[in-house]
Amino acid sequence: MAQQANLGELLSTLDSPVLSERDEVTAIFKENLNADRGPMLVNTLVDYYLETSSQQVLHILTTLQEPHDKHLLDKMNEYVGKAASRLSTLSLLGHAIRLQPPWKHKLSQAPLLPSLLKCLKVDTDVVVLTTGVLVLITMLPMVPQAGKQHLHDFFDIFGRLSSWCLKKPGHVAEIYLVHLHASVYALFHRLYGMYPCNFVSFLRSHYTMKENLETFEEVVKPMMEHVRIHPELVTGSKDLELDPRRWKKLETHDVVIECARISLDPTEASYEDGCSVSHQNSARPPPRAADVTASPHVDPQNSFGSVTSTPHSASRPMSSTPGQPPPPLSSPAPRLSAEAPQAALWSPSLVCGMATPPTSPGNVPPDCAQPYSKAFGASGGKGTPSGTPATSPPPAPPCHSDDCVHGPCPPPTAPHARKEERTDPARPCLHRQHHLPNDRGLEELPGSKELPLSDLPGFLGGLASEEDSIEKDKEEAAIYKELSEITTADTEPLVPRGGFDSPFYQDSLLGCPRKTPSATAGAQGTSVHPESFNSSLDKLGPDTPKQAFTPIELPCGGPDESPAGSRERQTPPEPRILTPSPFRVPSQRGAGLSSGQPPPYDHLFEVALPKAAHHFVSTKTQELIKKVPGSSEGAWVPSASPLEVLDRLIQQGADAHSKELSRLSLPSKSVDWTHFGDEIRTLRNQLLLLHNQLLYERFKRQQHAVRNRRLLRRVIRAAALEEHNAAMKDQLKLQEKEIQIWKVSLQKERARYSQLQEQRDTMVAQLHSQIRQLQHDREEFYNQSQELQTKLEDCRNMVAELRLELKKANSKVCHTELLLGQVSQKLSNSESVQQQMEFLNRQLLVLGEVNELYLEQLQNKHSDTTKEVEVMKAAYRKELEKHRSYALQQSQRLDTSQRRVLELEAQLAKKDHLLVEQKKYLEDVKLQARGQLQAAESRYEAQKRITQVFELEVLDLYGRLEKDGLLRKLEVERTEAAEAAEERPDCCNNSGSGPVRGHSDAVSGHNGETRPPRPGSTRGGGGSGSVGSGSSGSSSGSSQLSTPEKPPAQRAGPFSSRWETAVGEPSASIPATVGSLPSSKSFLGMKARELFRNKSESQCDEDGVTGSGLSETLKPGVDAGVEAKTPLSPDGPRPAPPSPDSVGQLRIMDYNEAHQEHS
Amino acid sequence: MTEDSQRNFRSVYYEKVGFRGVEEKKSLEILLKDDRLDIEKLCTFSQRFPLPSMYRALVWKVLLGILPPHHESHAQVMMYRKEQYSDVLHALKVVRFVNDATPQVEVYLRMYQLESGKLPRNPSFPLKPEDEVFLAIAKAMEEMVEDSVDCYWITRCFVNQLNKYRDSLPQLAVRGGNVMSWEVSNLFLFHHQPKAFEQYLNLEDSRLLSHLKMCSAVSRLPYDLWFKRCFAGCLPESSLQRVWDKVVSGSCKILVFVAVEILLTFKLKVMALNNSEKITKFLENIPQDSSDAIVSKAIDLWHKHCGTPVHSA
């Protein structure tokens, strides 16, 4: 609650007249709103607003941020349901919506929309309806997709309201109906623009009904006359136009413009195409048509022209006058002087679909600049002026561009006509003038059109500085209204107000000033205007503290001073401002109310409203100006816009009026004020309606402005492109020129080249001819030289020949000389020969004589010598023959001997060969024999073994026999021989029973032979047991055999016979010798071994060798050795005899062969 | 020349078709045609190829020195041998060591004993181990050679050769230091056959050897049967004679490979037996059916490890 109380306090302070306080409170609220997300604060604010309709609260509410929108909408929904608060809620909603809050898309889902529709369908209060419809129309473009759900609600509402217009339920005032009609018309436009197919089908279905036919005829049909066929009717369909995709592409202002486009109403659609201008004019109400036609036609075009042509002129000069690059500065000259050309210019901007609006803001600067430049001769001074306007438009134009649509044309012309017509020229000045020090301070128009911002400050500043100012204003306004009421008709006491706050005025005012500067500058006394501008600018430049508003302020400051100087001339602009309002209103009205209805209260605006307003405003401003020349600048609230100011003005006016009324009514309540009160209420309502409409229009205008901004951007871009294009073209031209220059030079060069070529050709030809000639010469020379050479050759040949001849001749000479010498020699020789011949001849003669003499002698001695010679010859012959035969003999002998030698040699070789063969054969045979011998030897060995075995056996048997005998003997001799018994132990000790007996035998038999047994016994000890026993046995058994073996060395002869006997049993003795040999006598053993080893060899070899070998060792008895050998091998005799034989045979054979061959 | 070329071009086909004997027989015949037989060549031949049975006795006799290399003296020498045989036999009969009822093998043994001077005093004396060896060899030889004289002689010389290898070892080992010829190494190996056997068995199948070692059967293997009796009584005569071909020609090493091959052939069975006695018992009485394969494989193995003997001359 404390908070609530606190809130209440705060709210109350919100409307405090102290600006700073108010700002603080506003800031506090905003902070709270930011901090608090609950609905409470918003609800309180809404409540407070509905109670007090405070501007500050409205401001806060309309700028609510996102989270609070829901609460606001809920709250409003709640209040819309209540009839009492419905109107104010709707106006609040209107305010909120018109600002296009970020949450506007939520409206379609909000419950507020259905409730609004419901109230529109149900409510019967015209004011509420009108307000609601306007709100709805405003809302529609923002939530186009909502149409899908509520389309039929919209149509129902349209049907209901349109029928309302006709049926006029009794209690509804006619005046209200007009507003309603206007709003219905707007609704019609909107619906037709947005949903043509659906809407048309609705119209068809709805108005084919009989009961509605009248309504159609009266109300709808005229409306339809002012729209063209919507293209969607052809291309679209019911479903297609409800498709959200269609709306997604379009922004709010796009939708608004779309709707405006289909309008035939010049005011609505004027800017969309060029015709609109003329339309506008033609559409004007007849009464003013004359005025309008007179001037507007020229002026609009003028203004348009000047405005629109600027780009052209700017661009055109560019192309036409290349010398001056900056067209904007140079172009003005022709344009300013001559209007005609401008009229002719149909700018591309129009073609582009850009009507006036963009031009005005965009072109003003250049226009402004031009005048300045004109005035000051395009000097450095231009900088600032041209700069400032240039900067100014951007901020300002958006707001006003819209106005230009309506405004531009009429203002220039109207003023004059109007001024004359209207009795009070000052009236139209409206609030513009109230800022101005004097009514005619219209040269500010340039500034004043931006002024909305600038004068408001001034105005507000006044408000701020003087807290009472508003109240005073109100009071004064009230007073004036009173006055006006008194003066004017009672029926329309409030008209001034309606007119006062009608948007048209403002619009027109705002619009014209904008244009005027340029227009006036261009068309009228340019010299003056610029000056004023300049002066104002120059002066203001330093004064105005705010740069942002400089352009706006210029007028503000300007007015203060400039008026003084330029008052007389400023007159023309003044009327201009006046004019618009009448035009605007009528035009709109006319359009809105259709042609059939002459604006019933149009004039009221003009007549009634201005008065009060003028009075109020003028006084107010005067006061303000008096009071706040300085303070206005200090207490400046930047946020206030001219529109707000207007709103506030209306509001305050209304407030003042109501206060006045209340004040008045208080005392006079008793009187029949009731009726008056009714009137007042109706008027108030009307005022409200008008305000609403104004707001709606303003909204539309804003949308236009948004669009214009966009278009402007395009224009600027297009212009830039165009310039770029032009520049390119220029460059192109330059390049073309260059190219041409180059071409020309090329041609020249070509010509030169050809000339040079010709020259060269001729030169070449000459040279060629020369060459030819020279070649010819050369050939000639060559030929000559060849000839000469041949000649030379010939000469040489000749010389050579001559030389040869010379040589020959020389040789001949020599030869002849030689011959000569020879001849001379011969000659001498022949001479000598002749001499000799002679001598010889003589000798011959002599000798012949001698010969004759000898012949004579010879014949005498020839007979006795021949016999002797013949004998001798014969002897010699015989001797020769003898020798010959002897030689023959000798040679024959030699031959034979040689042959013999050869034969012998062959025989020798043969013999050698044979010898080798024989050797081989011998070897072979040897081997063979050895093999056989080995076999034989093995046999012999076997035999030896056999004999051994046999011997053993025999000995064994003997042993047994003797044992038996001994036993017997023992029995016999046991008693007799004691000696034998003594010896026995020895024998028993030595070698068993057998040897003992043998030993005893030997001892008994041969005393001398006791030696041999001893060695035998020792042998037996050294040899193996069996052998030893064997040997001992043998020695004992064959004592005769063994004894002779050793004796032979001592007494070979006597024992040889015994040997022979022993031959019969040799095998028994042999083992003994073999066994005894090694051990008994080393050298004998050696021999024996040698013998055994080399038996085969020794047998093959001569006996002598062995004999000699043996003889060396066996000195004593060679014969015995030989003899001993033969018995050694019992088989030996057999092979031995043949082998010597065979050897002998071989030898013999060999010898024989050799002998035979030798012999 | 013609003979040579004939042999050559045919041999290719014989080899291919698998008639190994034909060519060998022919070449052996050629060898035997020489008047003075080339002992070396015959040795090499019998080492490389199996001898045809019809020439086996002749070749053995020649190789063992029973017959001289000259054909001329063959008859005479053979006569000597026969006489010797009959003499010895007669002597034995005389000393009543042998009678008609005495088995032929024992007769051979007594003859051998007589000829080597080892005849016991009494035939009832117990036999020495070497006599047992002789008996076994003689028994096998009796099957191979029909003629009793031949049989006796071959057996005798065969045993003598074996003994000669054994006896001459120390001498050879001394000499063998610098020149280890084929025969020398053979001789050397003859006495180290158990060791060589282990070595080759390890090369061929180490697992088997380790198994044997594990069973401590290595030292108890029937080495006497294998290396002293030359598998007489272990292998059937038909396959045994192929082994003896090699032994006669001077290669004792073949015995080692036969032993190795026997073990390899009966590896599974041997591996299955854990007891050394059982192993020995089994090896002493190996089945006879696979003996031919064993011998063939053993010869291959022998060729593989020792290379094919080439006539050095």
Side-chain angles (χ1 to χ4, degrees), chain A residues 999-1013:
Chain A
H999 199 60
S1000 60
D1001 271 2
V1003 168
S1004 61
H1006 312 282
N1007 281 336
E1009 288 166 8
T1010 43
R1011 261 152 91 202

Side-chain angles (χ1 to χ4, degrees), chain A residues 1083 1087 1090 1104-1116 1118:
Chain A
F1083 101 88
K1087 289 305 139 195
E1090 216 174 53
V1105 179
T1106 49
S1108 69
L1110 277 173
S1111 66
E1112 285 169 24
T1113 49
L1114 285 172
K1115 287 162 198 169
V1118 178

Side-chain angles (χ1 to χ4, degrees), chain B residues 39-51:
Chain B
I39 307 290
E40 290 271 317
K41 277 184 182 171
L42 279 174
C43 268
T44 314
F45 180 88
S46 72
Q47 280 185 6
R48 287 179 69 171
F49 311 108
L51 292 171

Side-chain angles (χ1 to χ4, degrees), chain A residues 777-842:
Chain A
D777 288 356
R778 194 184 65 100
E779 270 171 35
E780 273 177 17
F781 283 127
Y782 183 71
N783 287 341
Q784 278 181 356
S785 72
Q786 270 192 337
E787 272 173 41
L788 287 171
Q789 259 182 338
T790 48
K791 273 181 192 172
L792 186 68
E793 291 267 306
D794 289 349
C795 286
R796 268 185 201 153
N797 286 345
M798 270 171 63
V799 167
E801 275 170 30
L802 287 171
R803 268 189 200 147
L804 274 174
E805 276 174 33
L806 186 65
K807 269 184 192 169
K808 274 180 194 169
N810 280 343
S811 63
K812 264 183 193 172
V813 169
C814 286
H815 194 60
T816 44
E817 270 176 10
L818 200 74
L819 283 176
L820 198 65
Q822 280 177 344
V823 168
S824 61
Q825 248 183 344
K826 274 179 187 171
L827 197 67
S828 61
N829 280 356
S830 64
E831 277 174 9
S832 63
V833 167
Q834 263 180 343
Q835 283 177 350
Q836 276 182 344
M837 250 186 28
E838 281 176 19
F839 176 69
L840 284 172
N841 276 342
R842 254 176 253 159

Side-chain angles (χ1 to χ4, degrees), chain A residues 15 49 108 217 350 386 416 644 702 743 764 771 930 1062 1066 1088:
Chain A
D15 278 332
Y49 172 73
S108 60
E217 283 295 329
L350 290 175
S386 61
H416 298 285
E644 282 173 27
Q702 275 171 356
K743 270 183 190 164
V764 166
I771 286 166
R930 197 184 294 155

Side-chain angles (χ1 to χ4, degrees), chain A residues 923-925 927-928 931-936 938-940 942-943 945-946 948-950 952-953 956-957, chain B residues 35-36 68 70 72-73 76-77 80-81 83-84 87-88 90-91 94-96 114-117 119 121 153:
Chain A
E923 279 295 308
D924 213 25
V925 171
L927 273 176
Q928 196 178 344
Q932 287 177 354
L933 265 179
Q934 271 175 350
S938 73
R939 222 179 107 196
Y940 163 70
Q943 287 296 341
R945 297 288 178 199
I946 290 165
Q948 268 186 354
V949 170
F950 282 163
L952 269 179
E953 194 64 33
D956 197 22
L957 288 173
Chain B
D35 184 22
R36 208 179 124 196
H70 292 275
E72 282 176 22
S73 46
Q76 197 182 2
V77 170
Y80 289 156
R81 304 295 189 203
E83 280 177 11
Q84 187 176 342
D87 286 345
V88 173
H90 174 72
V94 168
V95 293
R96 279 170 289 179
L114 189 148
E115 285 208 65
S116 55
L119 193 68
R121 286 296 301 149
W153 274 105

